[in-house]
Amino acid sequence: MAGWITGICEANGIDVHYLRTGGDKPPVVLLHGLMTNGACWTPLARTLEEDYDVVMPDARGHGNSGAPDHGYSYNDLATDVIGLIDALGLVTPVLLGHSMGGMTAAMVASRNPKRLRGLILADPTFLTPQRQREVHESDVAEQHRRILNRPKKDFLAEMRVRHSRRSREVIELFAQARFQTSIRAFEVFTPPNPDYMQLINTFDIPSLLVVGDVGSVVSPEVAAELAGLNQRLEVVQITEAGHGVPYDQPERFSAVVKTFLRSVTDH
């Protein structure tokens, strides 16, 4: 992280905090999922920074970005990202998003395809209407509220046991991010989500969907169906990975990302 930039810009009426590797290189914007933040991309950014200017924003309600009282729909999150791209003067970046960040990236690509050079979706929250209702009615927000009232060191110890295959650095970044997540951020679960089938049809840039094989949100069957809807969408499955595919198999995920980035930036 030596020499990385920490900054805040105004986008869509809020302060958006970001990390940036910098340099006169093709820009890549990494969008995190719910309950994480931009810093959680640190290991991936390290592998990319030699060839790319990697920008890692905190979504609203996360990290050190603003946490307004309302405005947590995917449309709001996408408008934040478009504002960030404008504020930083990023020219045709590649957008990579995981989970909530994946759906946000899909929204940005749908609204402004000519502004992007490429799109990478890592197991985005492409949920059926029934699954949206189930998640919205679950106690996930209440679980988070309880965690915020606990000592961070106890939560960190639990994370080390639960995710024993992940690096110590990633676990510590995740724990830090969890305690910087506003309860308001869970409003993103309010149905309806954007229709992901319609979104996929609108992509007119090179696009990559990366999924795992164990408990991914996007099943292999749905991934194949989506690839059939848009000839510009490629699908890659990484085995022995779940919904947290960038963190379950970081080296393989990084290799897949680098291959795609080279294909869209080496022109």
Side-chain angles (χ1 to χ4, degrees):
M1 291 177 65
W4 288 12
I5 301 156
T6 301
I8 292 178
C9 66
E10 185 177 342
N12 195 21
I14 66 163
D15 287 340
V16 176
H17 175 270
Y18 61 90
L19 276 173
R20 184 175 186 178
T21 61
D24 184 18
K25 305 163 188 173
V28 179
V29 180
L30 308 182
L31 305 181
H32 63 80
L34 184 68
M35 297 180 283
T36 60
N37 63 25
C40 293
W41 288 115
T42 296
L44 177 62
R46 238 185 248 126
T47 73
L48 299 178
E49 66 174 317
E50 184 176 339
D51 298 307
Y52 304 97
D53 175 12
V54 186
V55 182
M56 298 156 272
D58 297 339
R60 60 171 61 204
H62 294 76
N64 292 305
S65 286
D69 291 337
H70 53 81
Y72 290 88
S73 71
Y74 280 109
N75 195 51
D76 295 311
L77 296 173
T79 303
D80 293 347
V81 173
I82 293 166
L84 170 90
I85 291 170
D86 287 341
L88 298 184
L90 304 179
V91 179
T92 55
V94 175
L95 206 52
L96 184 162
H98 171 238
S99 191
M100 176 186 82
M103 176 61 93
T104 303
M107 289 281 288
V108 175
S110 175
R111 284 165 53 179
N112 288 268
K114 290 183 171 58
R115 300 282 301 279
L116 303 177
R117 191 183 305 235
L119 176 69
I120 304 173
L121 307 176
D123 202 28
T125 47
F126 287 177
L127 305 175
T128 64
Q130 179 183 347
R131 186 68 185 127
Q132 289 174 44
R133 288 192 296 272
E134 290 171 356
V135 172
H136 185 241
E137 293 166 6
S138 74
D139 67 343
V140 63
E142 187 54 40
Q143 288 178 32
H144 181 64
R145 197 188 304 274
R146 288 197 292 269
I147 285 169
L148 294 181
N149 290 323
R150 295 176 52 199
K152 183 175 156 188
K153 62 180 176 57
D154 292 351
F155 178 70
L156 187 56
E158 279 184 18
M159 289 274 286
R160 286 179 180 142
V161 172
R162 191 183 313 157
H163 300 292
S164 57
R165 293 175 60 186
R166 293 183 181 175
S167 72
R168 187 180 188 90
E169 178 189 34
V170 163
I171 288 171
E172 290 178 356
L173 288 169
F174 266 61
Q176 176 69 18
R178 187 70 184 260
F179 281 84
Q180 290 181 309
T181 301
S182 167
I183 199 73
R184 297 187 184 103
F186 288 80
E187 291 174 25
V188 75
F189 285 141
T190 306
N193 280 10
D195 185 327
Y196 60 84
M197 291 287 193
Q198 288 185 5
L199 286 180
I200 291 292
N201 274 313
T202 64
F203 297 166
D204 192 26
I205 51 174
S207 304
L208 175 67
L209 173 63
V210 186
V211 296
D213 64 342
V214 185
S216 287
V217 170
V218 180
S219 68
E221 295 76 19
V222 170
E225 184 180 2
L226 295 175
L229 293 175
N230 189 326
Q231 63 182 7
R232 306 204 74 180
L233 179 69
E234 177 190 359
V235 175
V236 171
Q237 184 182 61
I238 296 179
T239 56
E240 297 182 69
H243 179 55
V245 59
Y247 312 104
D248 292 340
Q249 295 291 342
E251 292 176 0
R252 287 156 69 189
F253 183 76
S254 174
V256 167
V257 168
K258 285 181 177 179
T259 298
F260 178 82
L261 290 176
R262 281 195 295 269
S263 74
V264 298
T265 59
D266 289 354
H267 298 302

